[in-house]
């Protein structure tokens, strides 16, 4: 059913494409629209705030200009009044003595801080004396007109509007000594202000109007100077603030402020440094100072004012010479408007998010009406692929091409199901016939292999027996002759044989070795003639006895012997022959570890499915292990991996074990360690090899 794998990704692709087509305008266009609207709204909102503060500055500047006009027109009204002219023309002592009182009444009526009358040459005539002055201020002698006032006179001869003027402490003292207390201000260190070494601001910013007093002929008979001191003039600045920011004019609890600067120092303000302390003496930031006082531009932007951010407007103020001597400021707290801005942007975002969610829901529902039939067909094909041949799409509400495609798919699945059932029946019949023939062939092959193995082994044993008997017969005779002659030489020579005694002993050993080899050959060739007495042996005890016999070999090595005696079954074997087999395996393991290692001897019980049982001995070494292809040839006669070996030890051991129905196998260790393991499987009730072959079909067990 592999032909149905393609529609799985096909249906997923169609669904993803439809969803992408439905949601792409929402996920891309809407966020971009929200972002553009947010950016535009942010810029537009900033422009609205700037427009607002620009209009506030215009209102403040209009009132400031109105004050200049009122000071100028008020001073002009006093200068041109008939009362002042009459007082100046009255004879002494009534005329000049009445001038201070008259000037003070005019000052109070006009709301001025000072009103002083001078002679045309600048000598003082009289000045207004406000009520509540100290005796020293009231008795202070009149001083001549300061030079700055003469400059103002030259500029105001044809104009009634007052102008701004900076006066040093000496000039202010000559003009109005009672105002000196309001001038001296300590400069407060202010964050972001320009570096400065000033600690005190003692200059005075005044609104000043100096006008001539003329007689009927138009001659100047006196000079009248009137004005306001702006330093610490709290009523003036609070009135500006009330005009610009009346109660309730600013939304969201924002606070409006107004300030007059002399240079960059606040000389009157309603900005609070602390809760009840005005920020008089603080300085404007360096950025604003450079823009307004340095470049003469009007600042319309947010600015840090004392301790918070304000939407601010700063305008330079010029004196009678056109020099920038200060600034007029209005502004309101930005924080409430900032919160409103964020709330507005958040509301816009939520509205768009809601619209996006509703649109996405509608789009997804619309897309589902298209890809649901595709999904249904895809799931049907997956179920068919999983083995549910009866799975079908079924009727769909859609009457379009997708509905027709689903109907054709069900018809195709019905046809495929019928053909598949027929093929399965034919396949099952064919599989049954093939299995039956395969079982017959396997049985015949197994019988043939068993017979072939028995035949090959019999032929090998027969050939080896004949060859061994022939060799033994031919070799035994020369061996006997050699041994007899050696004995005769010893008897004949007597004491004379002592110089060659070592050579004679070496000949005896080699003759004995030849005899043993011949005996082993005969033992394997005719096992029944050499079979020993069968005993019921304890395999663990036999292993311990063999370790004693090879103890002299172990003493010469650095081999650690680890015993794991777990077998409880006894085995049927000839004691000497079993010792011969075990000793041979121990010697091979010792020779495999010339540098030392671990020799592990493990015994276990075993039982097969036929009820036969016994014990198995596993001899494990930590040597180099068996090379590839060695295990198949290890038990062949005369095969050896050592230069001094004869290749008969394992061959004879295998013959001895198989004589009693057991087996020997060799392999590399399976625990991931280096080394080989030899397993000797022994029976509790020994059987002849023929019986074993008849029982389980395996030669030699």
């Amino acid at each position: 059913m592999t032909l149905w794998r393609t529609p799985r990704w096909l249906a997923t692709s169609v669904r993803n494409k439809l969803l992408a087509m439905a949601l792409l305008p929402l996920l891309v266009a809407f966020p971009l629209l929200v972002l553009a609207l947010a950016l535009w709204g942010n810029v537009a909102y900033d422009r609205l705030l700037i427009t607002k503060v620009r209009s506030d500055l215009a209102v403040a500047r209009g009132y400031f200009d109105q004050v200049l006009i009122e000071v100028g027109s008020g001073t002009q009204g006093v200068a041109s009044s008939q009362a002042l002219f009459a007082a100046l023309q009255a004879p002494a002592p009534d005329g000049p003595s009445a001038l201070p009182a008259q000037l003070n009444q005019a000052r109070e009526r006009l709301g001025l801080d000072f009103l002083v009358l001078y002679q045309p040459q600048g000598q003082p005539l009289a000045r207004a004396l406000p009520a509540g002055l100290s005796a020293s201020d009231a008795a202070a002698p009149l001083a001549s007109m300061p030079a700055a006032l003469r400059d103002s006179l030259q500029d105001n001869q044809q104009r009634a509007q007052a102008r701004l003027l900076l006066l040093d402490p000496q000039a202010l003292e000559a003009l109005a000594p009672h105002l000196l207390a309001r001038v001296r201000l300590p400069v407060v260190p202010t964050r972001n202000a320009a570096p400065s070494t000033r600690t005190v601001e003692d200059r005075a910013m005044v609104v000043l109007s100096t006008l001539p007093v003329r007689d009927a002929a138009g001659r100047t008979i006196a000079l009248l100077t009137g004005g306001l001191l702006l330093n610490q003039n709290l009523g003036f600045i609070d009135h500006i603030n009330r005009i610009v920011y009346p109660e309730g004019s600013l939304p969201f609890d924002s606070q409006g402020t107004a300030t007059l600067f002399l240079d960059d120092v606040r000389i009157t303000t309603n900005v609070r440094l602390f809760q009840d302390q005005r920020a008089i003496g603080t300085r404007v930031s360096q950025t604003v100072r450079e823009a307004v006082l340095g470049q003469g531009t009007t600042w319309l932007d947010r600015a840090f004012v004392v301790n918070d951010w304000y939407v601010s407007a700063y305008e330079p103020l010029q004196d009678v010479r056109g020099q920038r001597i200060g600034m007029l400021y209005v502004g309101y707290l930005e924080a409430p408007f900032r919160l409103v801005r964020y709330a507005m942007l958040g509301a816009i975002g939520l509205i768009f998010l809601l619209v996006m969610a509703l649109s996405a829901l509608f789009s997804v529902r619309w897309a589902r009406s298209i890809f649901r039939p595709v999904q249904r067909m895809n799931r049907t094909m997956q179920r068919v692929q999983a083995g549910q041949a009866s799975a079908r799409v079924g009727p769909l509400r859609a009457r379009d091409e997708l509905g027709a495609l689903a109907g054709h798919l069900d018809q195709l699945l019905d046809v495929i199901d019928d053909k598949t059932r027929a093929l399965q029946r034919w396949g099952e019949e064919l599989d049954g016939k093939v299995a039956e023939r395969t079982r017959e062939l396997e049985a015949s092959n197994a019988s043939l292999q068993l017979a072939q193995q028995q035949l090959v082994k019999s032929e090998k044993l027969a050939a080896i027996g004949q060859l061994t008997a022939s060799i033994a017969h031919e070799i035994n005779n020369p061996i006997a002759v050699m041994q007899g002659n050696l004995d005769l030489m010893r008897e004949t020579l007597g004491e004379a044989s002592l110089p060659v005694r070592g050579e004679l002993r070496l000949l005896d050993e080699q003759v004995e070795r030849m005899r043993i080899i011949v005996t082993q050959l005969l033992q394997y060739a005719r096992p029944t003639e050499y079979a020993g007495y069968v005993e019921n042996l304890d395999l663990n005890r036999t292993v311990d006895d063999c370790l004693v016999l090879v103890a002299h070999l172990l003493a010469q090595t650095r081999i650690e012997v680890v015993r794991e005696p777990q077998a409880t079954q006894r085995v049927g074997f000839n004691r000497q022959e079993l010792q011969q087999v075990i000793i041979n395996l121990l010697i091979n393991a010792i020779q495999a570890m010339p540098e030392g290692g671990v020799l592990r001897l493990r015994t276990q019980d075993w039982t097969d499915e036929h009820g036969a049982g016994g014990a198995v001995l596993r001899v494990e070494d930590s040597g180099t292990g068996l090379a590839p292809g060695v295990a198949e040839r290890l038990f062949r006669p005369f095969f050896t991996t050592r230069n001094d070996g004869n290749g008969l030890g394992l061959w004879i051991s295998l013959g001895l074990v198989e004589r009693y129905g057991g087996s020997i196998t060799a392999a590399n260790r399976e625990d991931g360690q280096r080394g080989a393991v030899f397993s000797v499987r022994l029976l509790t009730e020994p059987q002849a090899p023929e019986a074993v072959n008849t029982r389980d079909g395996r030669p030699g067990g």
Side-chain angles (χ1 to χ4, degrees):
M1 305 299 293
T2 56
L3 73 133
W4 301 114
R5 292 179 182 173
T6 301
R8 180 180 302 175
W9 64 261
L10 180 59
T12 303
S13 176
V14 171
R15 179 184 61 187
N16 293 339
K17 288 180 179 179
L18 288 173
L19 287 175
M21 292 172 61
L23 297 179
L24 185 62
L26 301 176
L27 299 179
V28 177
F30 267 36
L32 291 177
L33 182 60
V34 171
L35 180 60
L37 182 60
L39 294 176
W40 175 83
N42 192 42
V43 173
Y45 197 75
D46 287 340
R47 289 180 178 176
L48 287 176
L49 296 180
I50 297 304
T51 302
K52 161 67 176 170
V53 79
R54 179 187 287 114
S55 64
D56 295 342
L57 179 62
V59 173
R61 182 66 194 196
Y63 174 73
F64 190 83
D65 291 340
Q66 183 63 32
V67 170
L68 295 180
I69 294 173
E70 289 178 356
V71 171
S73 61
T75 305
Q76 186 179 32
V78 175
S80 59
S81 66
Q82 183 62 32
L84 180 62
F85 177 75
L88 287 173
Q89 295 298 322
D94 295 333
S97 61
L99 286 176
Q102 186 178 358
L103 292 178
N104 193 48
Q105 290 177 0
R107 183 194 66 79
E108 291 179 353
R109 185 180 71 254
L110 297 175
L112 302 178
D113 285 330
F114 56 87
L115 197 59
V116 183
L117 190 63
Y118 297 94
Q119 294 180 1
Q121 294 79 20
Q123 291 80 9
L125 286 175
R127 65 183 172 196
L129 295 175
L133 290 180
S134 63
S136 59
D137 289 337
L142 288 173
S144 299
M145 177 181 290
L149 270 66
R150 295 184 180 276
D151 297 337
S152 175
L153 172 64
Q154 295 172 0
D155 191 63
N156 283 277
Q157 285 180 349
Q158 304 299 327
R159 300 179 59 185
Q161 182 175 347
R163 300 296 297 272
L164 289 177
L165 194 64
L166 276 187
L167 299 179
D168 56 25
Q170 293 77 16
L172 181 63
E173 183 178 11
L175 184 64
H178 62 282
L179 298 178
L180 285 176
R182 287 170 48 188
V183 173
R184 186 177 178 85
L185 296 176
V187 177
V188 180
T190 308
R191 175 181 171 186
N192 298 331
S196 176
T197 59
R198 288 185 300 162
T199 59
V200 175
E201 178 59 72
D202 55 2
R203 294 174 296 174
M205 178 183 289
V206 295
V207 177
L208 187 69
S209 177
T210 303
L211 297 172
V213 180
R214 304 180 188 277
D215 58 9
R219 295 187 299 270
T220 301
I221 59 175
L223 298 176
L224 180 64
T225 298
L228 289 173
L229 176 64
L230 299 181
N231 295 53
Q232 300 194 61
N233 196 332
L234 304 182
F236 172 77
I237 202 66
D238 289 343
H239 189 67
I240 291 180
N241 191 65
R242 285 193 299 270
I243 292 175
V244 177
Y245 301 111
E247 186 71 24
S249 63
L250 290 175
F252 318 120
D253 295 330
S254 181
Q255 298 178 3
T257 57
T259 302
L260 276 177
F261 288 86
L262 193 161
D263 194 10
D264 64 346
V265 179
R266 291 178 176 87
I267 57 174
T268 182
T269 181
N270 54 17
V271 177
R272 296 298 192 267
L273 184 60
F274 301 108
Q275 185 174 3
D276 297 325
Q277 181 180 355
R278 301 188 185 228
I280 296 176
T282 58
R283 302 170 61 207
V284 77
S285 65
Q286 183 175 4
T287 304
V288 176
R289 185 185 192 282
E290 292 176 353
V292 179
L293 295 179
Q295 302 175 13
T297 59
T298 299
W299 177 278
L300 296 171
D301 202 347
R302 62 195 298 265
F304 192 81
V305 178
V306 181
N307 52 17
D308 208 341
W309 286 96
Y310 285 73
V311 180
S312 304
Y314 293 84
E315 184 180 20
L317 297 177
Q318 299 178 348
D319 63 2
V320 294
R321 298 186 182 90
Q323 296 180 351
R324 293 185 286 271
I325 61 172
M327 296 179 289
L328 173 63
Y329 157 83
V330 290
Y332 48 88
L333 276 173
E334 183 196 28
F337 293 91
R338 187 188 316 124
L339 295 178
V340 172
R341 175 191 304 173
Y342 294 155
M344 180 184 65
L345 293 178
I348 294 174
L350 288 177
I351 293 173
F352 272 91
L353 184 62
L354 180 61
V355 172
M356 285 179 60
L358 295 177
S359 302
L361 180 62
F362 174 77
S363 300
V364 170
R365 290 177 62 88
W366 174 76
R368 282 180 178 176
S369 64
I370 299 177
F371 66 72
R372 271 183 176 177
V374 178
Q375 283 185 319
R376 192 166 171 180
M377 288 186 285
N378 183 49
R379 285 195 297 267
T380 300
M381 290 185 284
Q382 291 177 355
R383 290 168 57 192
V384 172
Q385 180 184 353
Q388 301 180 20
S390 61
R392 296 294 182 270
V393 178
L396 296 176
R397 289 187 297 177
R399 301 302 179 185
D400 52 8
E401 291 82 357
L402 291 176
L405 179 62
H408 293 319
L409 178 61
D410 286 346
Q411 295 177 3
L412 178 61
L413 290 176
D414 292 337
V415 174
I416 292 176
D417 191 24
D418 294 339
K419 300 299 182 181
T420 301
R421 287 196 182 98
L423 289 175
Q424 287 177 346
R425 288 195 302 270
W426 299 340
E428 290 173 357
E429 294 176 0
L430 181 60
D431 289 342
K433 294 180 181 179
V434 171
E436 183 179 357
R437 294 298 301 272
T438 301
R439 286 194 296 270
E440 294 176 358
L441 290 175
E442 288 178 350
S444 301
N445 189 32
S447 177
L448 179 61
Q449 287 181 350
L450 180 60
Q452 185 179 9
Q453 291 174 358
Q454 293 291 342
L455 179 61
V456 171
K457 186 172 182 181
S458 299
E459 291 177 352
K460 285 184 178 180
L461 290 175
I464 292 175
Q466 293 177 359
L467 177 62
T468 302
S470 174
I471 293 175
H473 176 74
E474 296 298 329
I475 293 178
N476 277 336
N477 291 333
I479 289 176
V481 173
M482 293 170 61
Q483 187 64 52
N485 288 329
L486 286 173
D487 295 339
L488 179 61
M489 289 173 60
R490 290 192 189 91
E491 293 178 358
T492 302
L493 295 176
E495 296 293 336
S497 66
L498 292 177
V500 292
R501 182 174 57 183
E503 285 74 4
L504 294 177
R505 185 173 64 252
L506 180 60
L507 290 175
D508 289 335
E509 293 175 354
Q510 297 302 317
V511 169
E512 179 64 18
R513 182 179 179 188
M514 294 172 63
R515 186 184 64 79
I516 292 174
I517 293 173
V518 171
T519 302
Q520 290 177 343
L521 289 172
L522 292 174
Q523 186 178 17
Y524 185 82
R526 297 195 294 269
T528 56
E529 298 179 7
Y530 289 88
Y533 175 72
V534 177
E535 302 179 52
N536 194 9
L537 302 177
D538 183 354
L539 182 58
N540 299 326
R541 177 71 177 275
T542 305
V543 171
D544 293 340
D545 295 341
C546 294
L547 286 174
V548 174
L549 297 177
V550 297
H552 65 288
L553 297 177
L554 292 171
Q556 301 173 6
T557 64
R558 293 178 294 175
I559 296 176
E560 176 187 359
V561 179
V562 178
R563 295 179 61 254
E564 297 180 3
Q566 301 176 7
T568 59
Q569 296 282 348
R570 302 179 74 84
V571 297
F573 218 97
N574 179 267
R575 183 181 300 276
Q576 287 76 22
E577 293 177 349
L578 182 57
Q579 288 182 351
Q580 179 180 352
V581 172
I582 296 175
I583 290 174
N584 188 20
L585 295 178
L586 293 177
I587 292 175
N588 286 345
I590 293 172
Q591 292 175 348
M593 297 181 289
E595 303 298 330
V598 177
L599 175 61
R600 188 180 302 274
L601 304 175
R602 180 185 303 166
T603 62
Q604 292 176 321
D605 295 334
W606 68 272
T607 303
D608 62 9
E609 64 274 9
H610 301 286
V616 61
L617 168 65
R618 289 184 173 85
V619 181
E620 296 182 2
D621 61 63
S622 59
T624 58
L626 302 177
V630 172
E632 292 78 6
R633 300 182 294 167
L634 201 58
F635 295 99
R636 295 180 183 178
F638 307 110
F639 176 78
T640 180
T641 58
R642 300 196 305 272
N643 295 330
D644 57 347
N646 53 33
L648 295 175
L650 291 177
W651 180 49
I652 294 174
S653 298
L654 178 62
L656 293 176
V657 172
E658 288 182 344
R659 182 188 303 167
Y660 298 96
S663 64
I664 302 179
T665 58
N668 288 319
R669 295 174 61 175
E670 298 179 353
D671 55 359
Q673 304 293 328
R674 294 178 53 191
V677 54
F678 287 81
S679 300
V680 182
R681 192 175 185 181
L682 304 175
L683 296 171
T684 301
E685 297 294 334
Q687 302 177 13
E690 291 78 11
V692 176
N693 295 337
T694 303
R695 175 173 53 83
D696 58 7
R698 291 180 294 128

